[in-house]
Each structure stands twice: as C-alpha cells, then as structure tokens.
C-alpha cells in the first residue's frame, strides 16, 4: 500500500512573457495579475522549492508534477492542519 503524503494548497506568483516584438513600450501591459493557486500531494519541500502532484497511483507513480520555487510562493496551507516543514536540501 502507498503511503500518501500530506495535501497542500499553494498560492504562488507565476512569470509572464511573450516572444517577438512588443510594439510601443507605452502600450505593453505590465500590471497583469500573476497570482496562481494549486493544490496537491506534497512530494518534497526544501528551503528553495516545493514539489506537488495532482495524483498518486497504487504503483507509486505521480501525475502532473509541479515544482514551485520558494521565492514565488506567497502562502502554503496544509489541508490536513499540520504545518509544512522544509527538508534539508541535498
């Protein structure tokens, strides 16, 4: 049987960009709302990043793995009520 990790909800800020010429810089939109929200099983938590996944199979496989740098994270909520602790980086 697979031991499931804790489930977390994460508020984080993404990056935005585009390719090619932008046109007149006075017309470029610089104030986009880049906030994102994700929830999933917490696979890893270190000082510089967390890794979550949306699903874990009985074969211990993960689907839709998302790695979020700590600098982009605004809030992490453990949906089970236990504080999220960072593991030591290798």
């Amino acid at each position: 049987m697979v031991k499931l990790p804790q489930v977390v909800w994460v508020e984080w800020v993404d990056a935005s960009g585009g390719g090619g010429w932008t046109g007149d810089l006075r017309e470029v939109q610089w104030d986009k709302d880049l906030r994102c929200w994700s929830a999933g099983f917490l696979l890893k938590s270190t000082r510089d990043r967390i890794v979550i996944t949306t699903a874990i199979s009985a074969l211990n496989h993960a689907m839709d793995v998302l790695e979020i740098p700590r600098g982009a994270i605004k809030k992490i909520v453990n949906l089970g009520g236990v504080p999220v602790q960072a593991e030591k980086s290798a």
Side-chain angles (χ1 to χ4, degrees):
M1 183 168 165
V2 175
K3 182 177 187 262
L4 296 176
Q6 61 186 312
V7 177
V8 295
W9 173 88
V10 185
E11 179 179 351
W12 55 286
V13 179
D14 202 357
S16 177
W21 289 98
T22 61
D24 189 328
L25 290 178
R26 294 170 292 193
E27 298 174 11
V28 175
Q29 183 182 357
W30 301 102
D31 58 352
K32 296 177 188 171
D33 187 352
L34 301 175
R35 292 175 299 162
C36 299
W37 299 272
S38 299
F41 294 102
L42 182 65
L43 298 180
K44 189 166 186 87
S45 175
T46 68
R47 288 182 297 164
D48 60 343
R49 72 196 68 224
I50 68 164
V51 181
I52 62 174
T53 184
T54 59
I56 298 174
S57 75
L59 298 173
N60 208 30
H61 297 170
M63 180 171 62
D64 298 329
V65 175
L66 177 62
E67 187 172 352
I68 308 172
R70 285 277 181 182
I73 296 171
K74 298 299 181 192
K75 183 189 288 187
I76 301 175
V77 176
N78 182 322
L79 298 180
V82 179
V84 175
Q85 298 291 326
E87 300 169 3
K88 293 182 180 178
S89 297

